Amino acid sequence: MGKTRREVDSLGEVDVPNEAYYGAQTVRAIGTFTISGISIEHSRTLFTPWRYFKKAVVPANEILGDIAADEAGAIGAACNAVIAGKLAAEFPINVFQGAAGAPPI
C-alpha cells in the first residue's frame, strides 16, 4: 500500500493512504466489515439517488448561509465527479456495512 498519512480520530491513530480522500473511519471500516468483499461502488445504482440528493442540498445550504459560495462550488463539483463514477475508489466500504445505516454518497 504506498505511502500513508497518520490520522487521529476518537479511537486513536491509523494510517490512511496518502492518495485517499477518505480518512481514519473509512480505514477502520474496511478492516472491520469484510462481510462480502463487495464494495458500495459495486452497487452504484442502489446509491445513485442518494448522490443526487446530496448534490441537490448544496444550493440550499449556500442560500441559508451554512456554506460559502466557493465551498458550494467545490462540493457541487465533487458531487458531479461521484455521480459520474470518477471517484469509485473512494468508496471501498463493504456494501453490507454501508456506513452503519447512514446512506453513503
Side-chain angles (χ1 to χ4, degrees):
M1 170 155 68
K3 299 198 179 229
T4 60
R5 64 183 185 266
R6 176 71 54 161
E7 289 199 6
V8 179
D9 64 7
S10 61
L11 297 175
E13 296 182 354
V14 67
D15 290 326
V16 179
N18 274 338
E19 67 278 359
Y21 288 122
Y22 57 78
Q25 294 173 353
T26 296
V27 170
R28 292 184 194 289
I30 292 168
T32 304
F33 301 102
T34 56
I35 299 166
S36 70
I38 301 169
S39 75
I40 286 173
E41 194 56 29
H42 184 271
S43 300
R44 61 184 327 260
T45 56
L46 179 63
F47 298 109
T48 294
W50 284 104
R51 293 169 175 168
Y52 281 99
F53 171 76
K54 288 181 180 256
K55 179 183 175 184
V57 300
V58 173
N61 282 293
E62 182 183 1
I63 290 167
L64 291 170
D66 292 335
I67 57 175
D70 59 334
E71 293 172 316
I75 294 168
C79 288
N80 288 335
V82 169
I83 290 167
K86 295 179 182 175
L87 297 173
E90 298 303 317
F91 300 93
I93 304 297
N94 192 282
V95 70
F96 294 111
Q97 192 273 335
I105 183 170

